[in-house]
Amino acid sequence: MAGIPTSVVAAGGLVGGYGVARWTKKRPLGGVALVAAGTVAARQWAEKAGAGKAAALTGLYVAAFAGSHPLAKKVGAWPSVFAVAGGVALASWVVESRA
C-alpha cells in the first residue's frame, strides 16, 4: 500500500468501511475495513510526517468517523461519508505536502 497516497487510503477507509457495513448489513465488518485502512494510513503518516502529525491525523480520522453520524441525520448517509472522507483526504494531503 506504500504506493497509494495516504489521503486515498484514509478516504477509502471511511467510504469503504461504510460501504461494507451497509452492503453486508454487518456493522462490525465495516469496522474492520475502517480500522484496517486507518492503521495503514497512520503508519504512512508516521513515516512521511512524523509521529505527532500522524497522531493528529489519526485523531481527525476517528473524529470524522464519529462526526459523520450526526451529519448524516442532516444531509444523508452517503453525502456525510463523502464529506468527511474529503476533509480527511485534504488534511492528509496538506500535512504530507508540508512535511
Side-chain angles (χ1 to χ4, degrees):
M1 283 236 179
I4 300 172
T6 314
S7 57
V8 174
V9 173
L14 290 162
V15 173
Y18 175 68
V20 167
R22 182 171 179 138
W23 290 316
T24 64
K25 298 186 179 8
K26 296 184 186 323
R27 292 179 75 177
L29 193 55
V32 169
L34 179 81
V35 169
T39 300
V40 170
R43 286 184 183 159
Q44 288 183 221
W45 287 323
E47 289 174 12
K48 295 177 182 178
K53 291 177 183 173
L57 287 168
T58 301
L60 177 64
Y61 183 82
V62 172
F65 166 71
S68 69
H69 292 81
L71 182 60
K73 293 179 181 180
K74 297 180 189 241
V75 300
W78 279 113
S80 172
V81 170
F82 287 132
V84 300
V88 169
L90 179 62
S92 176
W93 178 78
V94 168
V95 168
E96 284 187 19
S97 68
R98 295 183 180 179

